[in-house]
Amino acid sequence: MAINKSKVAVGFIVVGVLTVFFGTLLTFVGPLIIDDQVVKNTVIDPKNEMSYTMWRDVPVPFFMSVYFFHVLNPKEILAGEKPMVEQRGPYVYRKRIQKDNITFHPNSTVSYKEYRSYYFEPSMSVGNESDVLTLPNMLVLGAAVMLESLPAPVRMIISMAFKTFDEGPFLTKTVGELMWGYDSKLVNFLNKYLPGMLPSSGKFGLFSEFNNSDTGLFTIHTGKDDIRNVHKVVSWNGLTELSYWRTPQCNMINGTAGQMWPPFMTEESTLPFYSPDACRSLELVYQRSGEMKGIPLYRFVAPKTLFANGTDYSPNEGFCPCRQSGLLNVSSCRQNSPVFISHPHFFNADPVLLDYVHGLSPNEEDHGLFIDIHPLTGVPLNVSIRLQLNLYMKRVRGITETGKISEVVMPMLWFEERGYIDGPILNTFHTNLVVLPAVMEYMQYGMIALGLATIIIAAFVRYRVKRHKCGGGATSEGEASASAGEKDPLLQDDVD
């Protein structure tokens, strides 16, 4: 049985057209399929096993590195000279984060408390918790500034109390004591007779209220009703706005809780989040795109206006009373203690702050904060949050412990909280969000290319077959006519 090549070619043309059609259709449908899967997997729902587990337990290894500013010249500072500091550390702690008391509500929100605990990592640290350091005594120098407006006799009584409880302007303690607390007769006295004056009721330490504690009761959107709202904070400790600051804008609770953000980010997106530790909402801005082990990312960083004062950036007027740009006054949420937050080494701050202290050298690589986000899902891939704790100190008349201290914003320590996706989670992330979309993209363009190639080849074959038939048919008919002319007597007679 002879094969009809023309019909076969037509069949291949039809197949090629269908292949191009489905490949073209896939270019439109493919992204929709991926987006639909992203939406399903980023909604906060126990049915989404992987994403829900990531949100609930944060399995990514998180570390807090603490750098202290060891004071080299405490006696000279009391005489009015510039402080001279030396950075010590890092002292690294593994941070364990876990959500508890998780309650889902009918209005597509969920409430929870997030607990955190810290474990010292000697192998990652430069030094040990037994290292001895000298720092300004916040109980004395901070209290002196707080009580400066009291009558002179009262200030003198306070100074006598400091001497009674053996509290000087500087203290020399181990890293462990500075971090998690040390026994103080003054602290015990204040907690007994003036409860609530200090942030903690036990030992006094710079991080004592952080360890084995929660960050408050958060209520956030699950994204079930609108994926654009997923992770956004509805309320914190029952509050929809704060009361620490002077303007409604500064008291707003904006963005997420700082761990994940809504999907489908663009270069125009920002990263707003509420930080209970900073007592305010913060917002990072897009800096650049990049990759982490083949996974696309957007890097978001702190704008220079983040800690700018109200003079340099008017929207920040509500965070005042302000000092130089680069300092956030958090006294309103820290029992009125003269405490300021900044970037490490006063990075992105008014240069005059560097003139008041010897031993600082800011640079973006070591002291700038950033969050690398996978823009399609809003999941952080690499995080480094760096902040510095500073104490405003000065000479206060009547409190002899302050000596002749010059007015200065004194750096106490800075810390970095960092974490990045790695291991099985990174592999799963890479497979689902890089490999599969790439395979789908190659498939759609491969189908279009294969379909076009099939159409062209089949059309060429059909053309050749048709041409061969046409050419062959004319020759046969001519030969037949000539033969018939030779044998037909009537034609022969006409010729004669």
Side-chain angles (χ1 to χ4, degrees), residues 173-299:
K173 299 287 183 184
T174 65
V175 169
E177 289 174 320
L178 293 170
M179 286 288 296
W180 312 119
Y182 56 90
D183 288 318
S184 165
K185 294 177 182 178
L186 176 61
V187 170
N188 294 334
F189 175 83
L190 292 175
N191 284 331
K192 183 176 181 180
Y193 295 102
L194 296 171
M197 183 177 177
L198 298 176
S200 60
S201 57
K203 296 181 178 181
F204 183 79
L206 297 173
F207 284 85
S208 58
E209 60 180 304
F210 285 70
N211 202 13
N212 299 316
S213 64
D214 66 84
T215 55
L217 179 65
F218 276 94
T219 300
I220 64 174
H221 288 283
T222 63
K224 280 188 176 181
D225 57 342
D226 188 346
I227 198 62
R228 293 172 297 181
N229 289 329
V230 67
H231 298 295
K232 289 186 178 179
V233 178
V234 177
S235 66
W236 174 74
N237 283 340
L239 302 172
T240 55
E241 60 181 22
L242 306 171
S243 58
Y244 300 129
W245 314 109
R246 303 194 313 173
T247 62
Q249 181 180 353
C250 292
N251 277 318
M252 291 174 67
I253 297 177
N254 297 324
T256 72
Q259 291 177 348
M260 295 184 185
W261 282 264
F264 312 123
M265 289 187 171
T266 67
E267 294 180 5
E268 285 70 42
S269 300
T270 60
L271 289 191
F273 63 98
Y274 173 65
S275 169
D277 297 328
C279 307
R280 58 165 286 192
S281 297
L282 306 170
E283 188 170 30
L284 308 188
V285 296
Y286 173 87
Q287 184 192 54
R288 62 174 175 83
S289 59
E291 281 191 358
M292 175 180 168
K293 298 185 179 178
I295 301 175
L297 60 82
Y298 285 171
R299 171 158 290 190

Side-chain angles (χ1 to χ4, degrees), residues 102-130:
I102 300 172
T103 306
F104 286 89
H105 307 294
N107 63 343
S108 298
T109 63
V110 59
S111 298
Y112 66 90
K113 281 191 173 184
E114 184 173 272
Y115 293 85
R116 53 191 175 180
S117 50
Y118 298 88
Y119 306 91
F120 185 63
E121 293 282 351
S123 62
M124 301 175 68
S125 303
V126 179
N128 205 289
E129 283 193 309
S130 59

Side-chain angles (χ1 to χ4, degrees), residues 31-104:
L32 296 177
I33 294 173
I34 294 172
D35 288 354
D36 183 62
Q37 288 302 309
V38 168
V39 169
K40 288 180 179 178
N41 288 320
T42 51
V43 169
I44 302 175
D45 190 335
K47 294 177 184 177
N48 297 337
E49 186 173 345
M50 186 185 82
S51 59
Y52 180 73
T53 301
M54 280 184 65
W55 171 78
R56 184 189 63 196
D57 294 331
V58 191
V60 174
F62 242 90
F63 297 93
M64 180 176 72
S65 300
V66 182
Y67 300 81
F68 287 93
F69 290 106
H70 172 63
V71 179
L72 298 175
N73 61 337
K75 292 182 179 179
E76 288 78 3
I77 294 173
L78 288 173
E81 295 185 18
K82 282 186 182 180
M84 185 176 296
V85 298
E86 181 180 70
Q87 180 175 289
R88 297 283 181 88
Y91 299 93
V92 183
Y93 298 83
R94 178 181 291 271
K95 185 179 181 181
R96 166 80 172 165
I97 306 171
Q98 188 172 15
K99 292 179 177 65
D100 206 351
N101 303 331
I102 300 172
T103 306
F104 286 89

